[in-house]
Amino acid sequence: MPADRLLNTVLQYYQDVHDGPKTEQIIGTTTHLLTQLSNPLNLGVLTSQLLTARAIWHQPDGLRTAVRIVSIYNTAALRVYEHEHEHERDAGQKTPVLQPRELGGLQCDEWTRAVVKGADERSQRWKHLLVLTGVLMGMENEGRKGLSRSLRSTLEGAVVTAANLALQDHLFDGGIAAGSIVLALNFAFPLLSEHHRAQIHCNSLLPLTIWAITGEEGFDNGSFLEHIGRETTESVGGILEWPSASPSFRVMQNMAQKPLMGNLGPLSKLAGFAILNASDTRAVLDAQDQLWAFSQKIWETWSRSLLCDVDPAFEGSRLSQETLRNTWPALWQTFKRLLFGVSSILQAVVSRSLLDPHMYNDVTAPEVAVKSLHILRNLYFISARDGNSSFQVYTFAYMTSIDIVSRYAAASEIFLNEIKPAESSLPTPQAQRMLDLFYLNLAEHLPLTLSTAACDDLIVKPALVYISHDGELTLSMVQLFEAAHSAALSVMSCPQHGPLTIRVAPFYIIKLFESFPTLISPRQFRMAFKTVMQIVSPPFPIAAQEPHMSETLLEMLCMQMVNADTAPLPENIMAQDPAYQASGDELSQQSAIVLALIDSLPFLPLPLVEEWLSGAAESLHAIEDPRLREPVKKRFLDMLVSGEMDVERAAIGVAWWGTKGGREMVLHGHAQSRPAMMRGALVSEEKSSRL
């Protein structure tokens, strides 16, 4: 059928609403006509009629209709470009790669001008934006240079102008207008020059991008979790089942197939651009409030679900096989996308808070940082799993927010009080444990800011609840146990909290001994003990207040050594030690304690160094198994020559090694071993003669 007659037929079909297959046929014919018509006036008429056609816009397809319009003009522009830029396969081949086609014959610039003229006053601006975006993509996407430089600049300017005008009027056209604006700009944004990007009205765009991610065209305010919670069942044996045939699973799948959800990464970048370039700071703060409310809704809805209490270590025994294979992985993939989208936007908010004078003042800065941490806390059940927090934007938002709030003691104390765990006992629900883990990891960064009383109440006491735990450790409990140790050590490491450290350190060391090796790895034990020894030794003020504490702790360590197990530690304990994974050296409880003693030597007060060098050498040769003794000897020698000791201690070490028998003690051991006793203990004359 000739193109002119086909045009009249299509225009007639535009007037009525048709079924799905007929509508798709009309769309295909429209795309064909856009490449066939040779009269620029007809191209304008076709575009003008398409943007008001009942056959297209009265279909209940939401944003999929907007995607169709962009696709029509993208495809048509691409065909026109390909026809104009047909080239030979190589320089010596005269046969065209593409066979000649019956197209309209218009050049790219001429065709583009004709189409754009059809976006007239009879249709809304947001519909114009869809057409302009489709043309720009077809002509210039993927490195194509279909338009002249001047026309491309004009077209980019037209895209931005249409977007800005649409942002002013979208409230009158409903949700499809708002979604279409975001959709079109999301497609066009990578193709816009910096000059034209700077002209976008970001104050108006920002709330639409947040809505597009959190609202009905995005994650729908977490409503999919409510459906999942209602349809998850628990059998008599405690097995949870969420079948793939359930309506809630289809709801989640349909959500993932929404037009904007399919481009969540670029959409998050567009939202970040709007945040960084909005002229109104209030719009940025409102966007953060919307994210906070969204994250709170996600957390509250998830915490009411039966699935929230599934410990990752027991998934195989808590979930049905179908759930474990199908619906569970799909749910966590959705959670990952949600976390990435929110973190990308939050990173832009935090970045702006460092530059905007309306945000980095002493009133607003801690508020922004605290809200950011609240958002990350609400989503911590996602980020704490499978390394989901390892991407850069999350780390930046988290660490920068901590840096900001740590500048304000009052804000830090108020925030920790708001999210402080219960002190009475360990929480049973897995979801609550995740909140406690976030708290302990966060509190570790704040002791320098807080007063001693606040550190005791807000960090040490909650940490000791987990440090005192003596039950079975799952993966999540191991993380909590390690975080509790780190939080307690961070407080004791602060010189201004010396009185608290003096009171807590002996109790902490006792709990450390009780925990090793069943609850913590050799690496963690050595690190914790070395840190405490460093804290109670010069130049820390505690060394002057309690000069005997460092030696007392070493004596406690030696008492543990007497009754320590000499058998190699089990594989499951050693697997937590990166050094073991790298070298394969085995350790026993006894040899690990000797290593902790050696690690502490560079921090001892000067009068004690020589005595404890000899004590460490004696302890080294108390290890009977050569396989276990050799790594300890290697560590001893490394400590002596690696520069860990300062100049004064190194001088004592050199003298001990060269002239006081240290070399023979380390390499060969004593011919006779001393009985176990306190350093500096008085012995009888008879025993002294035997020694």
Side-chain angles (χ1 to χ4, degrees):
M1 181 183 295
D4 292 342
R5 288 178 56 190
L6 185 59
L7 173 62
N8 292 330
T9 302
V10 169
L11 294 181
Q12 291 176 4
Y13 278 122
Y14 280 172
Q15 308 308 313
D16 299 312
V17 179
H18 307 278
D19 58 17
K22 188 65 175 179
T23 302
E24 293 298 329
Q25 182 181 359
I26 293 172
I27 290 174
T29 304
T30 301
T31 305
H32 175 71
L33 276 174
L34 285 170
T35 62
Q36 293 291 316
L37 293 173
S38 58
N39 188 338
L41 295 178
N42 286 340
L43 284 171
V45 169
L46 180 60
T47 298
S48 178
Q49 293 295 317
L50 176 64
L51 296 183
T52 58
R54 296 182 72 249
I56 304 298
W57 299 103
H58 286 211
Q59 294 286 343
D61 286 343
L63 278 186
R64 287 184 174 82
T65 300
V67 174
R68 288 192 184 102
I69 299 300
V70 174
S71 178
I72 288 172
Y73 284 92
N74 177 35
T75 303
L78 181 58
R79 290 180 182 175
V80 172
Y81 169 85
E82 289 176 344
H83 179 68
E84 182 177 330
H85 293 80
E86 287 178 350
H87 58 277
E88 299 177 355
R89 189 180 301 274
D90 54 57
Q93 184 177 354
K94 301 303 182 182
T95 304
V97 175
L98 301 175
Q99 297 298 322
R101 296 169 297 183
E102 295 295 331
L103 295 182
L106 297 178
Q107 300 298 308
C108 290
D109 282 15
E110 188 179 6
W111 182 89
T112 299
R113 290 190 181 95
V115 168
V116 170
K117 287 181 180 179
D120 53 28
E121 67 280 356
R122 299 203 306 163
S123 53
Q124 296 94 329
R125 297 291 186 178
W126 59 271
K127 294 181 180 179
H128 299 175
L129 178 60
L130 297 174
V131 173
L132 297 170
T133 298
V135 173
L136 181 62
M137 291 176 63
M139 292 294 182
E140 299 292 327
N141 200 19
E142 297 180 352
R144 292 187 291 272
K145 302 293 182 182
L147 302 176
S148 62
R149 181 178 300 179
S150 61
L151 184 57
R152 170 164 181 170
S153 178
T154 300
L155 185 58
E156 289 181 20
V159 168
V160 173
T161 300
N164 289 338
L165 293 174
L167 287 169
Q168 297 175 10
D169 303 332
H170 73 89
L171 293 176
F172 301 102
D173 297 317
I176 187 175
S180 297
I181 295 169
V182 176
L183 176 78
L185 281 178
N186 200 33
F187 286 141
F189 188 76
L191 302 176
L192 298 178
S193 65
E194 293 295 331
H195 170 72
H196 289 104
R197 289 181 183 182
Q199 298 175 19
I200 299 175
H201 291 173
C202 292
N203 293 342
S204 302
L205 175 62
L206 177 54
L208 294 191
T209 57
I210 303 298
W211 166 82
I213 294 174
T214 63
E216 59 188 28
E217 293 296 338
F219 290 99
D220 202 10
N221 292 309
S223 63
F224 69 99
L225 292 175
E226 296 179 356
H227 298 297
I228 293 172
R230 286 194 296 266
E231 296 176 6
T232 301
T233 58
E234 185 174 8
S235 64
V236 178
I239 302 298
L240 300 178
E241 183 171 10
W242 174 38
S244 56
S246 62
S248 58
F249 186 62
R250 290 194 295 272
V251 167
M252 191 178 73
Q253 287 179 313
N254 293 336
M255 181 184 70
Q257 295 171 1
K258 293 177 181 178
L260 290 175
M261 289 290 287
N263 294 278
L264 188 59
L267 179 56
S268 300
K269 293 180 180 179
L270 180 63
F273 172 83
I275 288 171
L276 293 173
N277 292 275
S279 59
D280 184 5
T281 304
R282 185 69 255 172
V284 178
L285 297 177
D286 289 343
Q288 188 185 33
D289 289 340
Q290 293 176 45
L291 284 182
W292 188 7
F294 171 69
S295 68
Q296 185 68 26
K297 182 67 180 296
I298 292 292
W299 163 245
E300 290 176 352
T301 309
W302 173 247
S303 63
R304 293 193 297 267
S305 170
L306 293 173
L307 295 172
C308 76
D309 285 331
V310 177
D311 192 311
F314 300 113
E315 288 178 358
S317 59
R318 288 295 314 277
L319 301 175
S320 68
Q321 289 302 308
E322 182 188 8
T323 303
L324 196 60
R325 286 194 311 266
N326 300 325
T327 55
W328 189 248
L331 174 62
W332 282 99
Q333 188 61 35
T334 301
F335 278 150
K336 287 180 183 179
R337 299 179 66 199
L338 185 153
L339 176 67
F340 180 80
V342 172
S343 300
S344 298
I345 299 173
L346 195 59
Q347 185 254 1
V349 173
V350 175
S351 296
R352 171 147 184 167
S353 71
L354 301 175
L355 304 172
D356 188 339
H358 298 290
M359 296 180 71
Y360 63 65
N361 58 75
D362 291 341
V363 176
T364 309
E367 293 179 356
V368 172
V370 165
K371 288 179 182 178
S372 298
L373 292 172
H374 271 298
I375 294 170
L376 296 177
R377 176 178 181 265
N378 290 334
L379 301 180
Y380 193 67
F381 72 95
I382 307 174
S383 58
R385 182 187 177 95
D386 297 333
N388 290 341
S389 62
S390 58
F391 53 95
Q392 186 176 3
V393 293
Y394 180 94
T395 303
F396 175 85
Y398 177 64
M399 298 306 298
T400 306
S401 297
I402 292 176
D403 286 344
I404 294 173
V405 79
S406 65
R407 293 163 46 203
Y408 304 93
S412 299
E413 187 170 345
I414 292 172
F415 176 54
L416 289 181
N417 268 307
E418 290 176 355
I419 64 174
K420 179 183 176 183
E423 297 180 12
S424 56
S425 60
L426 296 181
T428 301
Q430 172 69 11
Q432 186 59 45
R433 290 179 181 177
M434 289 296 97
L435 294 184
D436 288 2
L437 179 59
F438 178 87
Y439 179 89
L440 292 171
N441 286 334
L442 170 67
E444 177 186 347
H445 298 275
L446 300 177
L448 283 171
T449 302
L450 301 174
S451 65
T452 300
C455 282
D456 186 19
D457 183 52
L458 297 174
I459 302 179
V460 174
K461 289 179 180 178
L464 291 180
V465 172
Y466 283 98
I467 291 174
S468 302
H469 173 68
D470 56 1
E472 181 183 359
L473 286 186
T474 63
L475 176 61
S476 60
M477 284 301 299
V478 168
Q479 294 173 332
L480 279 161
F481 195 75
E482 294 175 355
H485 276 276
S486 297
L489 289 172
S490 69
V491 174
M492 290 190 285
S493 298
C494 298
Q496 69 265 39
H497 303 318
L500 179 60
T501 301
I502 293 172
R503 177 165 57 85
V504 172
F507 173 78
Y508 174 79
I509 289 296
I510 292 173
K511 289 298 179 182
L512 185 66
F513 291 154
E514 292 175 354
S515 303
F516 179 68
T518 56
L519 301 181
I520 57 175
S521 69
R523 177 188 64 84
Q524 295 160 345
F525 172 77
R526 292 168 56 189
M527 179 64 69
F529 189 83
K530 181 178 75 171
T531 302
V532 175
M533 287 300 302
Q534 184 176 6
I535 293 167
V536 300
S537 300
F540 277 78
I542 298 177
Q545 300 173 27
E546 296 289 338
H548 302 298
M549 181 169 283
S550 58
E551 191 167 16
T552 300
L553 296 182
L554 287 179
E555 293 291 353
M556 293 172 65
L557 184 70
C558 289
M559 292 300 295
Q560 289 294 121
M561 199 184 305
V562 172
N563 300 316
D565 191 355
T566 59
L569 292 173
E571 182 70 23
N572 63 325
I573 294 177
M574 294 302 299
Q576 305 175 38
D577 195 334
Y580 169 74
Q581 296 176 8
S583 65
D585 293 333
E586 292 185 312
L587 292 176
S588 64
Q589 183 182 11
Q590 180 193 36
S591 64
I593 292 175
V594 177
L595 285 171
L597 172 59
I598 295 171
D599 292 339
S600 305
L601 294 176
F603 308 111
L604 295 181
L606 292 176
L608 301 179
V609 173
E610 182 178 324
E611 178 183 355
W612 282 99
L613 282 170
S614 299
E618 294 175 5
S619 300
L620 163 65
H621 286 280
I623 304 172
E624 297 180 356
D625 189 337
R627 293 179 305 148
L628 302 176
R629 185 171 61 245
E630 196 58 33
V632 181
K633 181 187 292 186
K634 181 179 178 182
R635 169 63 185 138
F636 200 141
L637 296 174
D638 182 66
M639 182 274 300
L640 290 172
V641 302
S642 64
E644 293 182 47
M645 290 184 169
D646 61 17
V647 174
E648 294 174 308
R649 289 170 178 81
I652 295 173
V654 169
W656 172 80
W657 178 268
T659 62
K660 299 185 179 182
R663 179 178 180 276
E664 289 73 19
M665 294 174 69
V666 173
L667 297 181
H668 308 296
H670 276 304
Q672 294 180 335
S673 60
R674 297 184 181 182
M677 63 182 67
M678 257 186 134
R679 305 290 160 196
L682 298 177
V683 297
S684 66
E685 184 177 348
E686 179 182 357
K687 289 183 178 179
S688 178
S689 63
R690 290 203 303 266
L691 294 176

